[in-house]
Amino acid sequence: MNISTIVTTVHCSCSPKIFIYCVRTQSLHGPSPVTTFGPKACMLKNPKAVMHIQDPASQRLTWNKPPKSVLVIKKIQDVSLLQPFKELCIFLTEQKQMLVYVERKVLEDPAIANDDSFVAVKKKFCTFREDFDDISNRVDFIICLGGDGTLLYASSLFQESVPPVMAFHLGSLGFLTPFNFDTYQTQVTQVIEGNAAIVLRSRLSVRVVKERREKGRAKDRKLILSNGDAEPARRAMQYQVLNEVVVDRGPSSYLSNVDLFLDGHLITTVQGDGVIVSTPTGSTAYAVAAGASMIHPNVPAIMITPICPHSLSFRPIVVPAGVELKVMLSREARNNAWVSFDGRKRQEIGQGDSITITTSCFPVPSICFRDPVNDWFESLAQCLHWNVRKKQGYMSSEEEEVEEP
């Protein structure tokens, strides 16, 4: 499926109104990713690109205007990050004259709140609260201090265009965080100057539609509010997911029993502990632990991985990024299922509820240390120890003759 935009102008007695419709059309490659990231960043156009196909190794960051604001995300309650956080913020505010956004709960940490030497810097910060304040059009780029979870959290803050993300490896695994903090001043300066490679990490656009189950009104099509208006019996929630959508059996001792549809056709019923629907970025997270293959972030695909399936032949599969997946509880299910999005917003799924998953047109532009290919294989080797073994010893010609029958 692809997404094309239709703009319609309707004239009325007051003033013309413009309506924008997004229409999904059949495609194997999925929607074309947005290539403007936040208020000022975009992808540098490659004049050598053939038929508008961008070589992943040549994707580079550029700025329409010099960046002036930066969001600094720090792992909460990690004492080891306090000093790097302070150093970075002082560097950004005093040397680079940047406007720094910080989440309010970060500054509520006693180690920061009670630090008198940091008071002058804190006064220059702009603070926000998750789920309350919209910073989508205020931040030019993002710096993450911590592990892979900080990048996932940064993604969750932006439901549409995401500013470029620079992630420093200060956590436990660091598969998605290629930068070392030792040389942060040089590396941050290069990003501000627009000298950086980027990889577009695709996200999943997830729509959860749930039946309202108020007591005594389960059969009603609509609910009557106190003001007399009618409220639909179904409610929908939208999420942007960087790693994976996980549907599992939750606390129940029974197998999960969910139906999986692809473009409206039932392709299988998942009977087991659950199913993982992941992006290529998420293929190296929960999915690989469940036996899936690892997919480079630039590959347009969605991976479907069963969790402990009660079938020897149920193997992980990769489907095109353009398809639409839907997960629903089977009629024969003995229990409800549970769903989570990048490990957050966990909720129960019952009969009549549905989870629709497509590739989003709003990727996460992740800034590379070198380039998308080298960074990925470096992470495979350093973090997951991919194909690590002792090399086979050399055999001389004399030994070969002895080995022959």
Side-chain angles (χ1 to χ4, degrees), residues 212-365:
R212 293 188 181 273
R213 297 183 177 85
E214 285 78 2
K215 293 182 179 180
R217 299 190 179 187
K219 297 182 181 180
D220 293 347
R221 295 300 299 170
K222 291 185 177 180
L223 303 176
I224 305 301
L225 303 179
S226 58
N227 61 3
D229 294 336
E231 182 181 1
R234 297 165 66 85
R235 57 194 178 98
M237 294 158 285
Q238 197 81 22
Y239 303 96
Q240 294 285 328
V241 178
L242 178 58
N243 259 0
E244 73 273 300
V245 179
V246 177
V247 181
D248 59 62
R249 60 189 174 96
S252 173
S253 58
Y254 294 113
L255 296 174
S256 67
N257 197 335
V258 295
D259 293 333
L260 182 62
F261 298 85
L262 190 151
D263 286 343
H265 303 286
L266 177 66
I267 58 171
T268 193
T269 297
V270 180
Q271 295 184 98
D273 281 358
V275 64
I276 305 167
V277 180
S278 60
T279 63
T281 294
S283 70
T284 51
Y286 191 2
V288 75
S293 296
M294 296 176 286
I295 305 176
H296 190 276
N298 279 116
V299 177
I302 299 175
M303 173 165 281
I304 302 170
T305 307
I307 308 171
C308 298
H310 202 241
S311 169
L312 295 176
S313 60
F314 195 173
R315 314 314 302 166
I317 60 172
V318 179
V319 296
V323 304
E324 180 182 85
L325 297 173
K326 180 178 285 188
V327 182
M328 298 185 70
L329 199 66
S330 300
R331 292 182 180 274
E332 300 80 13
R334 296 182 179 183
N335 53 284
N336 286 348
W338 289 76
V339 62
S340 60
F341 314 94
D342 283 342
R344 309 178 78 226
K345 309 290 185 182
R346 186 168 171 81
Q347 53 195 270
E348 194 171 7
I349 299 296
Q351 291 289 349
D353 300 343
S354 65
I355 306 165
T356 303
I357 305 169
T358 58
T359 298
S360 171
C361 59
F362 299 106
V364 174

Side-chain angles (χ1 to χ4, degrees), residues 180-201:
N180 193 308
F181 194 76
D182 293 342
T183 55
Y184 75 93
Q185 294 189 7
T186 301
Q187 294 166 344
V188 171
T189 300
Q190 289 179 345
V191 171
I192 294 175
E193 293 173 352
N195 181 20
I198 56 173
V199 56
L200 300 186
R201 298 186 178 276

Side-chain angles (χ1 to χ4, degrees), residues 83-84 86-92 94-96 141 143 145 166 168 179-193:
Q83 190 58 35
K86 294 176 183 178
E87 288 183 22
L88 175 64
C89 291
I90 293 173
F91 171 74
L92 291 171
E94 296 183 357
Q95 294 192 35
K96 294 301 179 182
F141 72 103
I143 297 179
L145 302 178
M166 184 180 192
F168 285 92
F179 288 94
N180 193 308
F181 194 76
D182 293 342
T183 55
Y184 75 93
Q185 294 189 7
T186 301
Q187 294 166 344
V188 171
T189 300
Q190 289 179 345
V191 171
I192 294 175
E193 293 173 352

Side-chain angles (χ1 to χ4, degrees), residues 14 124 172 194 211 213 365 395:
C14 300
K124 301 178 182 179
S172 56
E211 296 280 357
R213 297 183 177 85
M395 182 179 289

